[in-house]
Amino acid sequence: MTNSAPKQRSDTADRSSIAPKVARFVFGALQGALLVKRTTDDPSQFSDVIAVMKLQLAARR
């Protein structure tokens, strides 16, 4: 049987490899929220997405 557990990497390596994925997440979420805001004329959608993203990004520190 082989061990399928991921290899341990340093915290710095993890952050540098995930940074582009986080950037894509932020960009996509903002684009989607802006699209909904424009079509519904409801700015709360955009504000809610920003608030949740701030909480998620702050929790990663």
Side-chain angles (χ1 to χ4, degrees), residues 10-27:
S10 72
D11 190 43
T12 304
D14 288 342
R15 287 181 185 213
S16 65
S17 65
I18 200 159
K21 293 175 185 175
V22 172
R24 275 185 253 143
F25 158 74
V26 169
F27 187 69

Side-chain angles (χ1 to χ4, degrees), residues 25-53:
F25 158 74
V26 169
F27 187 69
L30 290 174
Q31 278 187 315
L34 189 55
L35 182 63
V36 171
K37 184 233 175 258
R38 287 179 179 163
T39 57
T40 63
D41 201 28
D42 180 12
S44 68
Q45 171 72 22
F46 195 69
S47 300
D48 291 346
V49 168
I50 290 172
V52 170
M53 286 184 359

